[in-house]
Amino acid sequence: MFNLILFGPPGSGKGTQSSNIVSTFQLQHISTGDLLRDEVSRQTPLGVEARKYMDQGLLVPDEVVIGMISSKIDETPNARGFIFDGFPRTKAQAEALDKLLEFKNTQIHLLLSLQVPEEELTRRMLGRAATSGRSDDNEEVITKRIKEYHAKTAPVENYYDQFGKVERIKGDGTIDDTFKLLGKEIEKYLL
Ligand code: B4P
């Protein structure tokens, strides 16, 4: 089994690159952003609660997200491996993920961290706003999401760095350029 975290600030291309990685390397994709948006659109109790945070650019509480991930991992016991997209986003989530995987006799093998300058992040998310219909793709909320990333999510990279599991990838080129760089790192484990 090979388990990968695709990491980076909001708008760095985690969702975009995950689709490429899934189709090339046949990993099971788990995106907490997609799972939460699905709950919001179905207006489940979890979705109604999560929306309050997402609309303000804040992280959804850890216990909500961790419970969601745990059941998602259990849905595909025979997966070749998982690609975690947008998760973990806090140190508490990282520790919970490590425990869940340990219970399944596996672990996180690699964290690929997309490096993209802040002006480019904002430019991309404002560009997406025109078509995404996402209530969190507007300038005020984007600024809050980036602030939340620096305060709560960036420490996750340091957490995995202490185990030597982090590779930093230049993420401000084209989608294809970035995918080539990511693919080279993944091939070291999967070929
Ligand atoms: P996410 O859905 O994870 O959203 P994101 O970080 O904004 O997006 P991503 O980095 O995937 O960017 P994308 O590929 O789409 O989270 C949304 C919200 O959900 C969070 O703010 C939070 O409230 C909540 N949430 C999610 N997970 C959580 C967790 N674990 N804990 C607590 N709360 C959680 O790319 C963005 C745009 O750039 C797209 O338009 C794309 O086409 C474009 N793009 C991508 N790569 C490009 C490139 N190389 N060149 C040009 N454009 C590019």
Side-chain angles (χ1 to χ4, degrees), residues 147-168:
K147 203 169 154 212
E148 188 87 330
Y149 170 82
H150 287 300
K152 297 188 180 155
T153 305
V156 171
E157 185 171 317
N158 304 334
Y159 171 79
Y160 285 103
D161 219 3
Q162 66 178 323
F163 307 118
K165 294 183 174 179
V166 174
E167 289 297 335
R168 294 177 181 84

Side-chain angles (χ1 to χ4, degrees), residues 8-17 31-34 36-37 53-54 57-62 65 85-90 93 120 123-125 127-128 134 136-137 145 171-176 178:
S12 56
K14 301 181 295 288
T16 307
Q17 295 298 337
S31 156
T32 39
D34 288 351
L36 289 168
R37 279 186 288 279
Y53 297 90
M54 296 169 79
L58 300 173
L59 292 181
V60 174
D62 286 336
V65 180
D85 159 8
F87 178 87
R89 258 181 159 97
T90 62
Q93 291 181 19
E120 173 68 6
R123 200 185 62 76
R124 285 182 189 178
M125 285 187 280
R128 179 172 65 184
R134 275 177 55 165
D136 59 350
D137 279 343
R145 285 160 65 195
D172 57 354
T174 65
I175 291 173
D176 276 0
T178 306

Side-chain angles (χ1 to χ4, degrees), residues 78-177:
N78 299 319
R80 183 186 197 197
F82 291 97
I83 170 166
F84 296 97
D85 159 8
F87 178 87
R89 258 181 159 97
T90 62
K91 192 163 166 256
Q93 291 181 19
E95 288 167 347
L97 177 62
D98 281 357
K99 286 213 182 84
L100 284 173
L101 294 177
E102 201 182 314
F103 191 64
K104 299 192 173 305
N105 287 321
T106 186
Q107 59 171 314
I108 287 299
H109 296 89
L110 179 65
L111 180 152
L112 292 173
S113 172
L114 291 167
Q115 312 286 304
V116 181
E118 209 153 303
E119 322 76 75
E120 173 68 6
L121 299 174
T122 309
R123 200 185 62 76
R124 285 182 189 178
M125 285 187 280
L126 288 177
R128 179 172 65 184
T131 52
S132 69
R134 275 177 55 165
S135 51
D136 59 350
D137 279 343
N138 63 72
E139 205 153 359
E140 192 192 335
V141 176
I142 288 170
T143 307
K144 280 207 206 147
R145 285 160 65 195
I146 294 177
K147 203 169 154 212
E148 188 87 330
Y149 170 82
H150 287 300
K152 297 188 180 155
T153 305
V156 171
E157 185 171 317
N158 304 334
Y159 171 79
Y160 285 103
D161 219 3
Q162 66 178 323
F163 307 118
K165 294 183 174 179
V166 174
E167 289 297 335
R168 294 177 181 84
I169 303 292
K170 184 177 161 347
D172 57 354
T174 65
I175 291 173
D176 276 0
D177 289 343

